[in-house]
Every structure is written in C-alpha cells, then in structure tokens.
C-alpha cells in the first residue's frame, strides 16, 4: 500500500447503508520515526456530479432537496446542488447520464469529465467524479424529480449562471461540489473573454 503505512488491525463499527470501520495503524513520520494512530473511515462508495449549462439562455440546471446532515448541522431544510448520484459500481459517465435523466428530466449524451475529487478525505473514503455538459430544450424527456420510492423529492431549478454565482456569495448555495463547478465555469469564461 505504502512504505510509510503499516496496518495493525481493523474493526467494523457499523455496516448498514454505508460502512464505518476503525483502523489501527502505524505511520512513518517525516523524521523517520513510526507513530501509532487510529482513524475511523466511512465508506459509502464513490459518486458523480455534473453542471449542465444552456448556451442559448446562459442558464444552469440545479436541484433543491432535503439533506438531513445539513438540517442537523446548520438548520438548513434544503440544499441547492448540482445533480449528483452514487456510482454503485457503475461507470461514472454512464451513471451520471442516468442520474441527470432521473433528477432533471434531461437526456444529455455528451459529458466532459473534469476531475475526481475527495470531498472530505479525513474521514470519508468517497471521491466524486466531476462532469460538465450542455443541455438543450430538445433534450428534455421528463420532469425529473428523482425516485420517489427511494425517498427523493427533488425540485429542478433553471437559473441564470450569474444568478447562481450570486447565490454562492449570498450564502444560499452551501454545497461544495456545486460551488466548485459554478466557479470553474466562471473562471474559464473570464479567462477566455
Ligand atoms: N435507506 C437509505 N437510503 C439512503 C441512505 N442514504 C442515501 N439513501 C438513498 O440513496 C439514494 C442516493 O441518491 P443519489 O442521487 O444516488 O445520491 P446523492 O444522495 O444525491 O449523493 C450524491 O451527492 C452526494 C453529496 O454531494 C455525494 O456524496 C454522492 O457521492 C453523490 O454524488 C437516495 O435515494 C437516498 O434516499 C441511507 O442512509 N439509507
Ligand atoms: Mg442525487
């Protein structure tokens, strides 16, 4: 795994939706000495997210949905986010296309993969594959909204890119993947202007 890491033992703390495991290990520090450490790691697989943009109207498609962790830690009842989904072992672009259809109702075939980012690497093993794509009115095949049976009740928001950027500054958009994608879009645009 790594010359600077020796796993001593691991114990499963919880296995239900995700898996929480406690690892005891030794880590070689920069001065060459070994230190014993213990860390808990939450594994719920990897995911994907995508910013869909419409060239004609300069709008983006975002979602608004209930997120229990944000309610518990901040009192927010809903978060505004780019569409996203868990990979569940599937190929990221393929999974993302299905997720876009399910959550936004748009069938978009051409997606551009940007990077894979760890969102909380101190405790969560998951990385997110980031995508961008263009959507046109003709791509709309349904209402979106997510899978009600699975407890999803997603509102689809079509808003101007500049409005979305202002929502970050105003503290209305609080989701990291969404900020990364919107700001990257603005950065590339100002670099090419
Ligand atoms: N029973 C049960 N169901 C769960 C649980 N957690 C999530 N689910 C269900 O699992 C599905 C997950 O929906 P997705 O659209 O696939 O994933 P997501 O929650 O949007 O997660 C995406 O965004 C996250 C936040 O940025 C990412 O962490 C994740 O990788 C993914 O990209 C939803 O139907 C949700 O109700 C749980 O603890 N128990
Ligand atoms: Mg989702």
């Amino acid at each position: 795994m790594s010359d600077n890491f020796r796993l001593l033992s691991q114990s499963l703390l919880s296995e239900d939706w995700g898996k929480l495991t406690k690892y005891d290990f030794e880590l070689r520090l920069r001065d060459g000495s070994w230190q014993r450490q213990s860390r808990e790691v939450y594994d719920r697989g990897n995911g994907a997210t995508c910013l869909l943009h419409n060239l004609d109207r300069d709008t983006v498609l975002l979602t608004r949905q209930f997120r229990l962790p944000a309610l518990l830690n901040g009192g927010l009842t809903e978060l505004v986010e780019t569409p996203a989904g868990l990979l569940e072992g599937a190929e990221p672009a393929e999974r993302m296309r299905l997720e876009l259809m399910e959550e936004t109702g748009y069938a978009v075939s051409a997606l551009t993969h940007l990077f894979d980012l760890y969102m909380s690497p101190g405790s969560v093993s998951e990385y997110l594959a980031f995508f961008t794509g263009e959507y046109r009115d003709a791509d709309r095949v349904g209402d979106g909204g997510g899978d009600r049976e699975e407890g999803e009740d997603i509102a689809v928001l079509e808003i101007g890119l500049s409005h979305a950027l202002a929502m970050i500054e105003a503290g209305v958009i609080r989701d990291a993947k969404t900020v990364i994608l919107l700001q990257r879009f603005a950065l590339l645009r100002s670099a090419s202007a």
Side-chain angles (χ1 to χ4, degrees):
M1 214 174 217
S2 160
D3 291 345
N4 298 326
F5 171 85
R6 289 199 292 239
L7 180 63
L8 301 174
S9 65
Q10 66 188 74
S11 57
L12 190 61
L13 300 180
S14 158
E15 186 168 23
D16 191 351
W17 177 261
K19 207 162 110 178
L20 184 64
T21 309
K22 183 171 178 173
Y23 294 87
D24 289 301
F25 57 95
E26 286 179 322
L27 188 69
R28 183 153 50 194
L29 306 183
R30 285 170 217 293
D31 66 6
S33 65
W34 286 87
Q35 189 182 65
R36 201 173 162 146
Q37 296 188 4
S38 159
R39 291 289 180 274
E40 292 176 19
V41 177
Y42 183 58
D43 176 8
R44 60 168 222 160
N46 298 316
T49 187
C50 179
L51 181 65
L52 284 184
H53 175 256
N54 181 281
L55 261 181
D56 301 328
R57 290 193 291 274
D58 197 21
T59 49
V60 291
L61 280 189
L62 299 178
T63 63
R64 190 201 295 276
Q65 65 187 300
F66 175 76
R67 292 293 196 185
L68 180 61
L71 176 69
L72 298 175
N73 185 25
L76 304 171
T77 46
E78 292 196 306
L79 281 196
V80 176
E81 303 175 35
T82 45
L86 296 166
L87 299 183
E88 294 167 50
E91 194 270 318
E94 197 47 43
R95 185 77 210 109
M96 193 66 242
R97 271 185 217 103
L98 292 174
E99 203 64 38
L100 285 171
M101 206 133 68
E102 209 172 279
E103 294 193 353
T104 72
Y106 282 80
V108 178
S109 50
L111 297 180
T112 304
H113 178 249
L114 304 175
F115 30 60
D116 298 329
L117 303 183
Y118 293 100
M119 303 303 283
S120 197
S123 51
V124 182
S125 63
E126 172 188 53
Y127 65 74
L128 276 189
F130 281 70
F131 292 91
T132 53
E134 287 291 331
Y135 73 97
R136 295 163 302 135
D137 291 342
D139 298 327
R140 188 148 188 260
V141 293
D143 292 335
D147 187 343
R148 212 190 165 90
E149 298 287 294
E150 295 283 326
E152 290 179 315
D153 179 27
I154 297 173
V156 184
L157 314 177
E158 183 178 42
I159 50 182
L161 178 66
S162 56
H163 183 204
L165 290 165
M167 286 166 78
I168 299 173
E169 298 308 316
V172 176
I173 293 181
R174 299 277 309 275
D175 175 61
K177 63 182 180 300
T178 310
V179 174
I180 291 167
L181 281 168
L182 287 169
Q183 291 191 341
R184 182 182 179 278
F185 204 95
L187 201 65
L188 290 184
R189 175 170 287 184
S190 66
S192 66

